[in-house]
Amino acid sequence: MNKERWLQCLGSTLWPSFLAAAVASVVFFASIDPETLRMQTLPGWEVSRMAGYTIGFFMFWAVALFSSSLTYLLSGGGNRRHE
């Protein structure tokens, strides 16, 4: 895979997954407080509210990146020829 194709793959997976993670974070954290979630699920951990938002965003990004990467691979994105 040449550099141009590699950058295209990164651009077509990272950017949409970032946007999806941003939207998912806004929707999720509009109704769920990270501090309340932490107290109910992991009461022994000392995590600030801001760290909860950050961890949540990166978890959403990881799931969306997996989805974008799978879509890219299944659509034949790595095998396309530029004419």
Side-chain angles (χ1 to χ4, degrees):
M1 184 180 271
N2 62 19
K3 185 177 180 178
E4 183 179 319
R5 235 185 228 174
W6 175 247
L7 289 174
Q8 182 183 10
C9 176
L10 281 178
S12 61
T13 56
L14 285 176
W15 183 242
S17 62
F18 176 83
L19 294 176
V23 170
S25 293
V26 168
V27 170
F28 182 80
F29 290 120
S31 59
I32 305 291
D33 180 30
E35 185 67 23
T36 304
L37 184 63
R38 180 200 59 84
M39 289 188 318
Q40 292 177 352
T41 58
L42 301 166
W45 284 21
E46 289 297 324
V47 178
S48 69
R49 183 170 277 124
M50 186 61 74
Y53 288 128
T54 304
I55 292 167
F57 172 77
F58 281 114
M59 289 176 64
F60 284 126
W61 196 4
V63 170
L65 180 60
F66 175 75
S67 175
S68 290
S69 299
L70 190 60
T71 300
Y72 183 81
L73 290 173
L74 291 176
S75 70
N79 295 328
R80 290 189 182 150
R81 296 179 198 255
H82 297 292
E83 297 177 13

